């Protein structure tokens, strides 16, 4: 009932990942015990993450997504595409889902920049805090303050670039891997230089 399914070509997925897209990066950090089936190619892809895919771009991308969720939380943004959930606003006084997503993006962006990895599920107390906001256990003013504080930590981490992540992804290595994988899939021997 609560399943989002989006399919991408490898090329598009990799472009999103190397740009630091928060949604696509999560699969790179899925706990092994939750993976139902993993091909050798998927295993290799997950291990490319820390060496070649991740970069300091994750900070700006998480910040941008956070700002978008915050804007919707306060009633702005692209209301025609994804309207605020009137049932949540009626019950809690604000859209708790936007608020919890904004908070999560701040925490996860900060974690990626400062550790080079992402904990899934989120570590405590961050998970508990996000769930409190999502369940409407804090009022709008407190939730907004929490989002703004998480944003500030993320912004500070962006300003002090991580020594763990390179400024840019290693596109030469990423492209080499994609060409090799594509050629293997279609039965070609040539990989290139």
């Amino acid at each position: 009932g609560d399943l989002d399914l989006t399919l991408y070509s490898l090329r598009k997925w990799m472009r999103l990942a190397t740009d630091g897209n928060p949604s696509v990066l999560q699969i790179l950090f899925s706990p092994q015990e939750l993976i139902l089936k993993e091909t050798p190619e998927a295993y290799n892809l997950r291990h490319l993450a820390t060496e070649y895919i991740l970069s300091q771009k994750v900070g700006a991308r998480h910040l941008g997504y956070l700002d978008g969720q915050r804007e919707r939380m306060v009633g702005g943004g692209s209301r025609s595409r994804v309207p605020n959930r009137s049932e949540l606003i009626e019950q809690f006084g604000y859209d708790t889902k936007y608020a919890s997503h904004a908070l999560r993006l701040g925490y996860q962006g900060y974690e990626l920049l400062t550790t080079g990895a992402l904990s899934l599920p989120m570590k405590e107390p961050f998970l508990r805090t996000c769930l409190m906001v999502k369940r409407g256990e804090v009022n709008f003013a407190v939730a907004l303050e929490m989002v703004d504080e998480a944003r500030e930590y993320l912004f500070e981490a962006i300003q002090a670039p991580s020594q763990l992540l390179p400024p840019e992804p290693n596109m030469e290595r990423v492209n080499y891997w994609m060409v090799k994988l594509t050629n293997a899939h279609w039965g070609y021997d040539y990989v290139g230089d």
Side-chain angles (χ1 to χ4, degrees):
D2 189 19
L3 176 66
D4 288 337
L5 178 63
T6 304
L7 302 174
Y8 296 113
S9 68
L10 175 61
R11 184 177 181 182
K12 176 161 184 174
W13 185 91
M14 191 63 80
R15 182 181 55 77
L16 293 169
T18 56
D19 269 352
N21 181 292
S23 300
V24 301
L25 288 178
Q26 289 201 7
I27 68 164
L28 296 173
F29 298 97
S30 298
Q32 194 64 45
E33 65 272 11
L34 297 180
I35 296 174
L36 301 177
K37 180 180 180 181
E38 185 172 52
T39 64
E41 296 82 8
Y43 177 86
N44 289 336
L45 174 64
R46 286 168 31 92
H47 289 83
L48 282 176
T50 53
E51 286 189 66
Y52 306 119
I53 295 174
L54 289 180
S55 72
Q56 293 173 22
K57 286 182 167 186
V58 299
R61 188 63 67 186
H62 276 74
L63 184 65
Y65 276 58
L66 183 157
D67 287 343
Q69 295 293 309
R70 185 192 184 284
E71 180 69 18
R72 290 183 184 99
M73 172 191 172
V74 299
S78 304
R79 302 184 97 207
S80 61
R81 288 187 313 153
V82 183
N84 285 334
R85 295 159 194 88
S86 57
E87 69 281 2
L88 293 176
I89 295 170
E90 186 176 314
Q91 185 175 3
F92 303 113
Y94 66 104
D95 191 319
T96 58
K97 191 167 183 182
Y98 285 139
S100 66
H101 283 314
L103 198 55
R104 175 185 56 79
L105 287 159
Y107 292 153
Q108 289 182 330
Y110 179 83
E111 181 181 16
L112 277 166
L113 285 175
T114 59
T115 70
L118 188 61
S119 301
L120 294 176
M122 289 176 69
K123 292 181 180 179
E124 293 296 347
F126 308 112
L127 176 61
R128 185 174 352 104
T129 304
C130 285
L131 290 174
M132 284 173 44
V133 170
K134 189 172 187 172
R135 291 188 295 247
E137 295 173 7
V138 299
N139 67 34
F140 174 79
V142 171
L144 187 59
E145 185 177 310
M146 294 166 88
V147 167
D148 289 343
E149 183 178 341
R151 185 192 190 284
E152 184 61 31
Y153 282 120
L154 175 55
F155 184 76
E156 288 174 8
I158 292 169
Q159 297 305 306
S162 169
Q163 300 302 314
L164 298 172
L165 298 177
E168 297 285 328
N170 185 334
M171 293 309 298
E172 183 177 325
R173 184 67 179 113
V174 166
N175 287 330
Y176 175 83
W177 182 83
M178 287 195 308
V179 167
K180 184 177 174 184
L181 180 66
T182 302
N183 285 343
H185 175 78
W186 292 109
Y188 298 127
D189 290 333
Y190 178 75
V191 176
D193 297 328

